[in-house]
Amino acid sequence: GHIVLVFLALEFLYTGLFITCHDAMHGTISAHRGLNDGLGKLAISLFAWFDYGMLHRKHWEHHNHTGKVNLDPDFHRGNPRMVVWFVRFMVEYLTTWQLVKLAW
């Protein structure tokens, strides 16, 4: 029933928030960096309280070193198994403050 529709609507909205943050990090929302950063911070906070500054830095590390072991923060560290990669990825991106805000 309606729970499936609510789930799909939330997934659509959460995807939009993440895409908005991603576009803000690339400076494509506005010609003004401050507006991009402000909208990016708002979007990623509404998404899951991620630290925009940390995401922004790691995102550009990823673009500058895509696919390079130990340089690309989103690439595996020599162990390409999905579960190992995912756990390491989440540990590197989650912060204690974010978990506190999500639990609150």
Side-chain angles (χ1 to χ4, degrees):
H2 79 282
I3 191 129
V4 172
L5 293 176
V6 170
F7 174 80
L8 292 173
L10 287 173
E11 289 303 308
F12 177 79
L13 294 172
Y14 285 139
T15 300
L17 288 170
F18 191 82
I19 289 170
T20 300
C21 175
H22 181 267
D23 288 352
M25 287 189 282
H26 280 280
T28 59
I29 294 175
S30 168
H32 304 282
R33 173 142 189 200
L35 182 57
N36 281 304
D37 288 344
L39 290 173
K41 286 177 189 175
L42 176 64
I44 206 63
S45 294
L46 292 171
F47 177 78
W49 290 111
F50 279 102
D51 178 326
Y52 178 79
M54 184 223 2
L55 284 180
H56 193 273
R57 181 180 50 77
K58 285 183 178 252
H59 187 68
W60 282 104
E61 285 176 16
H62 163 70
H63 276 287
N64 291 329
H65 305 289
T66 303
K68 295 178 184 170
V69 176
N70 295 323
L71 293 175
D72 180 350
D74 299 346
F75 196 67
H76 68 80
R77 300 282 197 264
N79 186 345
R81 290 190 317 218
M82 181 61 134
V83 173
V84 174
W85 170 83
F86 182 75
V87 169
R88 186 197 53 79
F89 180 85
M90 292 309 293
V91 166
E92 286 193 22
Y93 278 86
L94 291 173
T95 65
T96 303
W97 182 235
Q98 174 191 11
L99 295 174
V100 167
K101 290 188 281 187
L102 286 170
W104 182 70

